[in-house]
């Protein structure tokens, strides 16, 4: 049985040898390609008064300049009709008002510089706090409520108030946005695109071109990372390439430089949360009221569902009897912020983890004890009404981390170390994760697959999920081989294409193995049922059975389908059962902090994570490690900065390269990293009892932030509450130490 085996990624050898092809590699296999370059606004907010493309057309090698006048269909690159492909009002620095097509990229670049654009600058809102003060909001303002918060706070022994702010995060996938569009002799548009959502890319390209979807085919061979940044953002770039190809009759390649990618595309939403919380004498949560405001940027994109998921994850793993959570999306003059691994869940969960970390010293309770005594228990439900199944897994994983991580003895060692070292302190923290799995837009919880069995017994799979390095294709190969009962070598995966599996959902929400695995399994079971009926109880080898069945005119291919059962959601009431299940995890982290500089490093991390019955343990292990490190980057290193001055550069992204935006690397890895999969964790009603693994591990990194809080606290007086900025960069840690000393 292939499922459950620790197999390497199906393209691992291609990746490490450089033979794996990505979208932009296909340009070298395509003749007469034109290259696209943007004409970007230098203003954060301005009206476009005039565009003169004439000077660009005089540049040698420039073939055409695309503007709004060239769009035959709808001049919009989004699904909310608030993202004009060619805007007459620019909404962020870097907003493209035109695209130049050239014989070479250099010709297109010089042509873009030659385009003359007159702007009428307008006031710009840059910081999230500015938007809140100006009441600059967009979209819905949902509320999640349960019980009587006012009564709960009145009856609480201890009531605290505070503000929690957290920054966004740049996806910084290795491969920037890329599309290659061609038009055939019949006018069919074919777009090779680095996209997590080929169907939506197809829809946007079609409506920009004024075509039906069946005129457009989108293929995603593979991505060099996505992390949510290629769920909505690729559509406009693909549409520009397709428009150029349609108008010129030549293939058009659009690939963003790293700086363009950083300045033109959306990021994780930064959040601002103001809160009041109440505890009883034992430190049990009684009531929480909070207002969460996300920085949506210049348009809605996915801000509303990101906010909804944030509100649904403020509770994390904790029972809170009385809850009232308000949500708002701010409009600022920055890139339209978008999906990022965790999709609002990390931001919501950070609120409660920050509250517990800040309140524990004030309550006189050890943070580890405070967290564990507030865990959900059997029979309790979330504030939005979903009963929490298997809450005992949180306690089981928690205890396993305490035991295998030798937390008690290490805490004693840390106390001794801190007493002996005036200028260096260590801290240790343990934090849980409870993360809901499913799209919170119920309709997206469906998938399709097309499985072909050829006469020689070999099998080809098409499914609706895209491969961005996360190992989805590897798992689908294992599911197919196991279902059909054949060796893995007999199965191959085809690139994801909209003309093979239609109407697919995005590869997102950690749901792709559940959804596409269910569809692949369904298709394989249909074929297997026909073969078994034909065999009529005979024991026939696979290859011979397939050959006989073909000669007997048995159908050897099938379209599979899967829909997640048992979920429902009322977005107006913010109540329902939006998630198929919860993924659980626990992490313990130990850090060391330099009191002179705030510099810190992570000494040890112990993780126990619940992936159900793993489809592919090696892939899951990589996802847990990678997610954790990416979360650690968000919380401790990655510091997005925009120019908030009143000067001419207002609204400009200041961290627009790898030299100014700090990413986690090998040097930031913990000295010791121990990861274990939670045992005896079969999940009912999902493919082979497995659970999602893409997003939940990112939030295990809360343990590092809380360990930093503990280390910072060791510099100050005992029992003091430590406020820590997010990201907790060395600078932020230093100033937190200084506040504690003061």
């Amino acid at each position: 049985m292939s499922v459950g085996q620790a197999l390497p990624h199906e393209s691992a050898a291609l990746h490490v040898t450089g033979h794996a092809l990505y979208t932009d590699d296909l340009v070298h296999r395509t003749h007469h390609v034109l290259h696209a370059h943007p004409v970007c606004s230098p203003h954060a907010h301005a009206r476009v008064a005039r565009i003169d493309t004439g000077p660009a057309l005089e540049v040698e090698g420039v073939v055409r300049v695309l503007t709004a006048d060239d769009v035959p269909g709808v001049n919009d690159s989004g699904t909310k009709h608030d993202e004009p492909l060619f805007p007459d009002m620019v909404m962020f620095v870097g907003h493209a008002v035109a695209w130049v097509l050239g014989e070479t990229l250099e010709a297109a670049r010089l042509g873009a510089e030659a385009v003359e654009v007159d702007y009428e600058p307008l006031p710009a809102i840059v910081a999230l706090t500015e938007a809140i003060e100006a009441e600059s909001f967009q979209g819905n303002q949902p509320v999640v409520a349960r019980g009587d918060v006012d009564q709960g706070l009145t009856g609480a022994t201890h009531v605290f108030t505070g503000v929690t702010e957290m920054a966004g995060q740049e996806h910084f996938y290795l491969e920037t946005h890329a599309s290659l569009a061609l038009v055939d002799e019949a006018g069919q548009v074919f777009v090779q695109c680095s996209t997590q959502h080929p169907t939506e890319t197809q829809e946007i390209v079609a409506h920009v071109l004024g075509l039906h979807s069946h005129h457009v085919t989108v293929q995603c061979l593979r991505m060099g990372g996505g992390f949510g940044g290629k769920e909505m953002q690729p559509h406009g770039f693909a549409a520009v390439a397709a428009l150029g190809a349609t108008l010129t009759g030549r293939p058009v390649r659009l690939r963003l430089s790293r700086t363009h990618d950083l300045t033109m595309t959306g990021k994780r939403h930064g959040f601002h949360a103001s809160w009041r919380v109440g505890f009883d004498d034992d430190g049990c949560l009684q009531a929480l009221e909070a207002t969460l405001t996300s920085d949506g940027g210049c348009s809605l994109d996915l801000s509303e569902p990101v906010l909804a998921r944030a509100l649904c994850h403020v509770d994390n793993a904790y029972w809170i009897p009385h809850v009232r959570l308000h949500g708002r999306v701010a409009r600022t003059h920055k890139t339209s912020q978008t999906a990022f691994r965790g999709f609002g869940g990390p931001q919501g969960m950070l609120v409660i983890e920050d509250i517990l970390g800040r309140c524990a010293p004030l309550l006189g309770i050890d943070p580890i004890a405070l967290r564990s005594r507030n865990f959900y228990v059997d029979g309790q439900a979330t504030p939005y009404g979903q009963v929490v199944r298997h809450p005992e897994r949180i306690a089981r994983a928690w205890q396993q981390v305490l035991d295998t991580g030798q937390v008690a003895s290490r805490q004693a060692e840390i106390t001794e170390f801190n007493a002996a070292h005036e200028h260096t302190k260590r801290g240790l923290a343990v934090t849980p994760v409870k993360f809901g799995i499913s799209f919170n837009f119920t309709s997206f919880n469906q998938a399709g697959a097309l499985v072909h069995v050829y006469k020689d017994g070999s099998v080809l799979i098409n499914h609706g999920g895209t491969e961005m390095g996360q190992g989805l294709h590897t798992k689908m190969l294992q599911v197919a081989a196991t279902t059909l009962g054949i060796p893995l070598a007999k199965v191959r995966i085809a690139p994801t294409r909209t003309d093979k599996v239609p109407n697919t959902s995005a590869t997102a929400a950690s749901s792709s193995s559940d959804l596409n695995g269910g569809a692949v399994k369904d298709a394989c079971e249909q074929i297997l049922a026909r073969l078994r009926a034909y065999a009529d109880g005979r024991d026939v080898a696979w290859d011979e059975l397939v050959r006989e069945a073909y000669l007997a005119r048995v159908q050897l291919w099938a379209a599979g389908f899967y829909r997640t059962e048992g979920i429902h959601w009322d977005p107006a009431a913010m109540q329902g059962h939006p998630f198929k299940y919860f993924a659980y995890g626990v992490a313990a982290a130990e850090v060391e902090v330099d009191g002179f500089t705030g510099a810190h490093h992570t000494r040890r991390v112990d993780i126990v994570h619940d992936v159900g019955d793993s489809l592919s343990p090696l892939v899951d292990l990589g996802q847990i490690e990678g997610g954790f490190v990416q979360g650690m980057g968000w919380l401790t290193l990655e510091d997005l900065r925009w120019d908030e001055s009143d000067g001419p550069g207002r609204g400009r992204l200041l961290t627009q390269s790898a030299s100014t935006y700090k990413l986690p690397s090998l040097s930031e890895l913990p000295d010791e990293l121990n990861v274990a999969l939670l045992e005896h964790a079969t999940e009912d009603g999902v493919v082979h009892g497995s659970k999602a693994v893409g997003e939940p591990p990112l939030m295990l990194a809360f343990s590092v932030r809380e360990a930093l809080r503990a280390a910072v606290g060791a510099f100050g007086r005992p029992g003091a509450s430590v406020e820590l900025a997010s990201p907790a960069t060395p600078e932020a840690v230093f100033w937190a130490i200084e506040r504690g000393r003061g």
Side-chain angles (χ1 to χ4, degrees), residues 678-720:
L678 186 67
E679 296 181 351
H680 312 298
T682 302
E683 184 64 29
D684 300 330
V686 290
V687 62
H688 293 290
S690 65
K691 276 189 175 183
V693 73
E695 293 168 300
L698 183 133
M699 286 141 282
L700 295 167
F702 291 146
S703 59
V704 176
R705 185 173 187 270
E706 292 306 304
L708 285 171
R709 191 195 306 276
V712 169
F715 284 99
R717 60 181 174 80

Side-chain angles (χ1 to χ4, degrees), residues 556-640:
L556 295 175
W557 55 269
F561 182 75
Y562 177 83
R563 51 173 284 171
T564 309
E565 299 293 347
I567 57 174
H568 56 88
W569 180 242
D570 182 344
M574 292 292 284
Q575 290 289 307
H577 191 291
F579 305 121
K580 178 69 174 174
Y581 55 82
F582 295 102
Y584 302 115
V586 174
E590 180 183 339
V591 300
E592 184 172 295
V593 174
D594 183 322
F596 292 116
T597 64
H600 49 82
H601 82 276
T602 306
R603 289 169 47 79
R604 177 174 171 177
V605 173
D606 293 87
I607 291 169
V608 174
H609 197 73
D610 169 23
V611 297
D613 291 339
S614 175
L615 291 175
S616 195
L618 197 59
V619 167
D620 285 349
L621 182 67
Q623 285 291 288
I624 294 167
E625 293 173 345
F628 170 79
V629 171
Q630 193 167 49
M632 196 166 64
W634 171 51
L635 294 168
T636 67
L637 286 171
E638 301 180 43
D639 196 8
L640 287 167

Side-chain angles (χ1 to χ4, degrees), residues 193-494:
C193 184
S194 184
T195 175
Q196 292 175 235
H197 201 344
T199 288
E200 200 162 78
T201 301
Q202 174 193 33
E203 291 171 352
I204 299 298
V205 169
H207 85 216
V208 167
L209 297 180
L211 301 173
H212 293 296
S213 288
H214 70 245
H215 282 106
V216 178
T217 298
V218 174
Q219 173 171 299
C220 178
L221 180 58
R222 60 168 57 83
M223 282 170 279
F227 310 119
K230 294 175 181 174
E231 183 173 347
M232 288 284 285
Q233 303 277 305
H235 311 331
F237 303 126
V240 168
L243 176 63
T246 301
L247 294 176
T248 64
R250 292 174 60 178
V252 171
R253 167 245 202 171
L254 189 160
R255 181 186 64 80
L256 299 184
S257 67
R258 179 61 67 187
T259 296
H260 277 143
D261 201 287
L262 287 163
T263 54
M264 296 175 69
T265 68
K267 298 146 195 357
R268 184 188 294 281
H269 293 72
F271 268 66
H272 175 284
S274 56
W275 46 264
R276 285 195 302 159
V277 65
F279 296 87
D280 67 12
D281 281 329
D282 296 322
C284 292
L285 286 157
Q286 297 300 298
L288 173 65
E289 180 175 38
T291 297
L292 276 66
T293 308
S294 72
D295 186 345
C298 62
S299 65
L300 275 173
D301 194 275
L302 289 165
S303 294
E304 289 174 315
V306 165
L307 179 63
R309 184 171 278 266
L311 293 174
C312 289
H313 282 77
V314 168
D315 61 320
N316 192 11
Y318 310 111
W319 163 252
I320 313 171
H322 305 284
V323 179
R324 185 164 61 231
L325 307 171
H326 300 266
R328 306 178 297 190
V329 179
R331 186 193 302 276
T332 57
H333 294 106
K334 292 188 283 201
T335 52
S336 185
Q337 315 310 16
T338 190
F340 198 130
R341 197 175 195 167
F343 202 79
Q347 293 97 312
M349 290 158 68
L350 183 59
V351 174
I352 191 66
E353 293 301 336
D354 192 53
I355 288 171
L356 294 176
R358 284 162 67 170
C359 294
L362 302 176
L363 293 167
I365 300 174
D366 180 82
I368 294 176
L370 180 63
R371 287 184 165 89
S372 62
R373 72 181 54 174
N374 281 288
F375 286 163
Y376 277 107
V377 297
D378 205 37
Q380 292 176 335
T382 63
Y384 48 89
Q386 179 166 345
V387 174
V388 178
R389 290 182 68 235
H390 304 309
E392 72 283 353
R393 292 187 185 179
I394 308 172
R396 192 151 56 87
W398 186 266
Q399 191 59 50
Q400 186 175 332
V401 165
L402 293 183
D403 293 342
T404 60
Q406 304 161 312
V407 169
S409 61
R410 285 166 57 209
Q411 276 187 309
E413 292 170 6
I414 288 170
T415 300
E416 289 181 16
F417 178 90
N418 288 345
H421 295 78
E422 181 182 357
H423 302 298
T424 305
K425 304 293 182 183
R426 292 176 181 172
L428 188 152
V430 188
T431 58
V433 168
K434 174 185 70 66
F435 189 82
I437 301 298
S438 288
F439 285 96
N440 48 1
F441 180 59
T442 304
S443 299
F444 281 169
N445 294 288
Q446 60 173 298
L450 182 61
V451 175
H452 296 164
V453 176
Y454 293 101
K455 287 185 287 184
D456 64 354
S458 62
V459 178
L460 180 68
I461 302 169
N462 292 270
H463 64 87
T466 56
E467 177 62 52
M468 59 190 106
Q470 84 278 37
L472 175 62
H473 283 353
T474 308
K475 290 184 173 182
M476 296 306 96
L477 289 170
Q478 291 176 271
V479 168
T482 298
T483 307
L484 294 173
I486 60 177
L488 198 67
K490 283 190 174 292
V491 188
R492 190 174 75 83
I493 290 268

Side-chain angles (χ1 to χ4, degrees), residues 652-674:
R652 184 173 67 92
L653 180 66
L654 300 174
T655 50
Q656 53 182 264
S657 69
S659 64
T660 50
Y661 185 76
K662 176 67 172 170
L663 290 163
S665 61
L666 288 174
S667 58
E668 278 72 46
L669 281 174
D671 297 340
E672 183 179 345
L673 177 58
N674 304 306

Side-chain angles (χ1 to χ4, degrees), residues 512-523:
S512 298
S513 292
D514 288 0
L515 297 176
N516 295 289
V520 168
K521 189 167 179 282
D522 176 50

